[in-house]
Amino acid sequence: MKTINIGSITARAWNLAIDNWPIFILLAIVKNIVTSIGTSLDAELLQEYNLARHPEMFSVALDQALHINPWIVSLGFLLGMYLSIVTFKMLVNCARTGKPYESMADVFSLDFVRFAFFLGVSIVLSLAIIITALLGGGIVAAIVFATGLPLGWSVVLVVLGVLIPTFYITIRLAFAPIIIATEQVPFLDAFRLSWRLTNGVFWKLLLLLLASCGVIILGLCACIVGVILAQVVVNFMFALAYTDLKDANDEPAADIAAPVMESYEK
């Protein structure tokens, strides 16, 4: 029977983070650096606009002070995606063996097709979340407008119309990136497997998401180092939830995707 224990996952995630924090914090720092390359902000130019007295000039000042090199930004984005795959592999290895890797080649090696699949899954997942939020909010807004409800209730209902379907889709498809990064499955099967793994445990995963928000808030109280360590703990919570549900599933991911994988390999 599929189930997850939030208290157990949180405690195990904390222990794994404490035991393996150096490499994961290093990865987080490197990823933040590479994803921010190609952008620079001219602070002196911003000061010349004297935004404290002329806040209406903020957009103009920012447009002139912010410099973006699209080619370097794109390269940083791709490097960030690659480091995300490496991180997912290490997280799953830690969740299963307590160690981030057996050999460096295991986690840093990556074929082009697998990278393209991961990039595609990440983009599709982001689009699915955005479209769901827009549709949910738009449908509720149309109904509210037609019924003529008071403004206060209208705002509340529209916000719920955005949040409820967005949370649902996000949680049901959340494991697609980690599946495509750690399993030899085709593109669409990552979403199908995530949907299957999260079936029947939506509310527990929602509670786990809320618990992870609590961990981040605690990390904020400890400033920069605390935030980074809190993020490592949250990543482990996510990885442990995935491995626990996958182990509890009746069929391994590779077996579920076997028929599609055979045609893919041909």
Side-chain angles (χ1 to χ4, degrees):
M1 179 180 179
K2 290 194 301 183
T3 185
I4 56 173
N5 186 310
I6 296 174
S8 172
I9 285 177
T10 304
R12 289 154 58 202
W14 172 258
N15 290 332
L16 286 172
I18 293 300
D19 292 341
N20 301 279
W21 66 266
I23 190 167
F24 285 101
I25 288 183
L26 177 61
L27 279 172
I29 293 174
V30 172
K31 183 180 177 181
N32 287 333
I33 292 174
V34 299
T35 53
S36 63
I37 61 174
T39 59
S40 60
L41 188 66
D42 191 335
E44 293 183 357
L45 182 59
L46 280 180
Q47 291 178 353
E48 292 177 6
Y49 275 91
N50 196 2
L51 296 178
R53 292 188 177 182
H54 305 285
E56 70 279 0
M57 297 294 294
F58 177 79
S59 59
V60 176
L62 185 63
D63 181 61
Q64 295 187 12
L66 184 63
H67 305 290
I68 300 176
N69 186 317
W71 294 106
I72 298 179
V73 169
S74 299
L75 177 61
F77 171 76
L78 294 176
L79 288 173
M81 288 287 102
Y82 169 71
L83 291 175
S84 294
I85 296 175
V86 171
T87 302
F88 279 140
K89 288 182 177 181
M90 288 188 176
L91 288 169
V92 171
N93 284 340
C94 280
R96 295 202 177 282
T97 67
K99 299 184 294 183
Y101 51 83
E102 293 296 334
S103 68
M104 297 292 284
D106 292 338
V107 292
F108 284 99
S109 62
L110 182 69
D111 63 271
F112 175 78
V113 173
R114 189 59 36 191
F115 179 79
F117 279 0
F118 181 83
L119 184 62
V121 164
S122 300
I123 293 173
V124 170
L125 178 59
S126 299
L127 290 175
I129 293 171
I130 294 171
I131 292 172
T132 299
L134 293 176
L135 285 176
I139 291 172
V140 174
I143 295 173
V144 166
F145 179 78
T147 55
L149 289 174
L151 179 62
W153 282 107
S154 299
V155 172
V156 171
L157 291 175
V158 170
V159 170
L160 290 176
V162 172
L163 293 180
I164 292 175
T166 301
F167 273 122
Y168 183 77
I169 289 296
T170 300
I171 289 174
R172 294 303 303 271
L173 300 180
F175 292 135
I178 197 170
I179 289 172
I180 207 70
T182 59
E183 301 285 346
Q184 292 296 320
V185 298
F187 180 83
L188 292 178
D189 272 32
F191 296 102
R192 185 163 64 89
L193 293 175
S194 180
W195 197 268
R196 177 176 295 193
L197 290 177
T198 55
N199 184 40
V201 291
F202 170 80
W203 293 109
K204 286 196 172 184
L205 289 172
L206 180 59
L207 289 175
L208 186 67
L209 177 62
L210 295 176
S212 67
C213 291
V215 172
I216 294 295
I217 292 173
L218 291 175
L220 287 171
C221 297
C223 300
I224 297 176
V225 176
V227 172
I228 297 176
L229 181 59
Q231 185 59 58
V232 174
V233 174
V234 168
N235 289 342
F236 271 120
M237 292 169 67
F238 175 77
L240 287 167
Y242 165 68
T243 54
D244 285 358
L245 289 172
K246 184 171 178 293
D247 291 344
N249 199 54
D250 293 334
E251 302 172 272
D255 292 343
I256 297 173
V260 184
M261 197 64 190
E262 290 177 2
S263 60
Y264 163 73
E265 289 175 347
K266 291 178 181 179

